[in-house]
Amino acid sequence: MKNFKEIFREAENKISGIAAAPGIVIDNVYLYNKEKLEINDSLITDIEEAKKNFGEALNNSKKELTKIFSLAKERMDPARAGIFEAQLMILDDPILIGNIDKRIETEKKLPEFIVNDEISKYQQMMIASHEAYLKERAHDIEDIKNRIIRNLQKKRWVSKIPTQAIVVSDSLTPADTILLSRSNVQGFVTDHGGLTSHAAIISRSLNIPAVVGTHNATSKIKDGDLVIVDGFHGYVLVRPTEEQVNFFREKHDKLVRLQKELEEFVEQPAVTMDGKKIHLCANVDVTGEIDIVITSGAKGIGLYRTEQILEEIGDFPDEDEQTKIYNTLATRIYPEFLTIRAFDIGGDKFKYIDYQEPNPFLGLRGMRLLLENPNLFKTQVRAVLRASTPKNIQFMLPMVTSIFEIRKAQEIIDECKKELRKEKIPFDNNMKVGIMVEVPSAAVMAKEFSDEIDFLSIGTNDLIQYLMAVDRGNDLVSDLYQEFSPAVIRTIEHIIKEAKRAKKDVSICGEMAADTLAIPLLIGLGLESLSMAPATISYAKKIIRYISYKDARELAKECISFRTEREVIHRIEKFFKEHNIRRTRNII
Ligand code: PEP
Ligand code: MG
């Protein structure tokens, strides 16, 4: 049977885009063509009448958006539904409305022309911004502008599709996405939009597979075409061959079967056949995932990537806002632990500084950036401390490369504690502080670093990148990104040994923890705690319950002695055959 790479390499009918929401769907297309609004710039004679029309159009737009907002609140987590609240606020903006009214009076043109011109000015400013987030928000404003103009022209807008279908469109506004989701939408494909577009965020929330940013889907796909949307890899196959349909039907059915099969593991403990208990935690990228975390059977959150908040809202939330976010999560997961990682900004993540670094992964990233911007760090530390009163929060520092950085961070944490004490604001004085071990210097010095902190978490995504000198996002060298390189395995073993020597808890939160092939090896190397995407927890449990700790120890011991990645992989594959288990990456 061919694998994904082969299927896609050979496919002449593929369109690639960004994998915005996971899942596989095969269905017919509904080409969602929005009628282009024609703007009339005629002069008017009755100014009062024009202003009255504008006021009515504003009111109708508000009514529509209020409906959409309440629908969104029903279907999505409140933070996401806030998109529509923000749009409603724009409709109430006195400066914008005042400007439009004034221009109607002085220029004496139809309100639709003034509305279009005035709001487009704001949009241009946002599009010119270097921030991907602001660019995306310009699309949201387009939605408001068109909504007002359409109401001025007294036109209706289709937001329903007649049958179950995959919606293909030039772009989708958040309102389109939520309204269309009421009909039987199976998937979304758009020409424009990125991972942070709200349509993408909403698709993820609603669990509708989506591929965005395809550039040319609407010109290559016709209404009614059969397509396959692969929201895992970001591909669309147009008018697929029988072989492609069969391949994806089988993947889809397997996925459904796998999810069903794994349901039985949710309630079961992660314990090996010979009684070794393993602590399985969840990685959380967006706050909305908490429901999935809770139903996944995770024992706590091993990594909360707080920089994702910035990606979502495009800005730094203030101390109160952050406290609320952290507090909600801590309360929901209580009594299990929530590990909040300080903003890991820089590298390929949220852009904070305007300066284009020649080597961003080796530049101002993680802890370095936070120490360069102590106010930013302090705001987060204070918020984390304020949220820590249930005593189930621990705080983790990203990309630490020296003891100096740990001490400096500790100083700031102590300073924040002092301030809060003075302000009589309660917090958990014993909140644990740990570090990510994700650069070679931290790995080599694992014992000394451990002496300074309460716990360690191995971030293999970066550790492998820095150890093997392979950019984790560069396709050209992806073959050299070797999880199972003996260098990686020996480094992980060293970190675990040294952390244990310092009597500190050590876990792993890189993607390697979710690679089923790696799980027996990691446990054999001595890890008792793994943190991974919630969707993978049941499968990890299944593997753990199929193996014995004794066998895993032996497997690890042997793997440590090998010289090449191939030997390691062969040995693990043999172990899998002996234990009758399969690797997840080959299933989906
Ligand atoms: C890692 O580097 O392994 C990690 C978990 O952090 P991130 O993927 O967020 O860089
Ligand atoms: Mg990392």
Side-chain angles (χ1 to χ4, degrees), residues 508-577:
I508 177 171
C509 61
E511 289 306 310
M512 192 173 175
D515 183 351
T516 40
L517 202 57
I519 291 173
L521 173 64
L522 294 170
I523 291 174
L525 287 171
L527 279 170
E528 284 146 16
S529 166
L530 316 176
S531 190
M532 60 191 74
T536 53
I537 287 182
S538 296
Y539 206 79
K541 253 189 216 175
K542 183 174 172 182
I543 290 192
I544 292 166
R545 294 178 63 85
Y546 266 60
I547 60 171
S548 83
Y549 184 55
K550 189 175 146 280
D551 290 352
R553 293 294 287 178
E554 261 163 39
L555 170 76
K557 204 168 142 204
E558 231 179 289
C559 288
I560 288 288
S561 69
F562 291 136
R563 289 167 182 241
T564 65
E565 189 193 41
R566 273 267 40 94
E567 287 171 273
V568 177
I569 293 179
H570 273 143
R571 178 65 189 89
I572 304 178
E573 280 171 349
K574 196 167 142 242
F575 180 92
F576 267 49
K577 267 205 195 100

Side-chain angles (χ1 to χ4, degrees), residues 455-565:
F455 66 93
L456 303 89
S457 185
I458 306 173
T460 42
N461 304 344
D462 278 311
L463 186 61
I464 299 171
Q465 142 163 290
Y466 293 122
L467 198 62
M468 306 296 290
V470 181
D471 179 342
R472 64 194 256 191
N474 183 344
D475 275 356
L476 289 178
V477 285
S478 58
D479 286 352
L480 303 175
Y481 188 92
Q482 298 182 344
E483 242 173 39
F484 295 104
S485 154
V488 172
I489 299 170
R490 288 183 199 189
T491 306
I492 294 176
E493 190 214 19
H494 175 76
I495 301 167
I496 300 167
K497 251 196 196 145
E498 295 295 86
K500 288 191 173 178
R501 203 151 67 86
K503 299 195 170 36
K504 296 294 161 65
D505 287 340
V506 55
S507 68
I508 177 171
C509 61
E511 289 306 310
M512 192 173 175
D515 183 351
T516 40
L517 202 57
I519 291 173
L521 173 64
L522 294 170
I523 291 174
L525 287 171
L527 279 170
E528 284 146 16
S529 166
L530 316 176
S531 190
M532 60 191 74
T536 53
I537 287 182
S538 296
Y539 206 79
K541 253 189 216 175
K542 183 174 172 182
I543 290 192
I544 292 166
R545 294 178 63 85
Y546 266 60
I547 60 171
S548 83
Y549 184 55
K550 189 175 146 280
D551 290 352
R553 293 294 287 178
E554 261 163 39
L555 170 76
K557 204 168 142 204
E558 231 179 289
C559 288
I560 288 288
S561 69
F562 291 136
R563 289 167 182 241
T564 65
E565 189 193 41

Side-chain angles (χ1 to χ4, degrees), residues 32-49:
Y32 185 61
N33 259 331
K34 277 200 272 189
E35 180 197 346
K36 226 174 156 29
L37 292 168
E38 298 290 334
I39 310 290
N40 187 339
D41 65 351
S42 306
L43 288 171
I44 49 165
T45 45
D46 191 340
I47 291 173
E48 283 320 304
E49 166 88 11

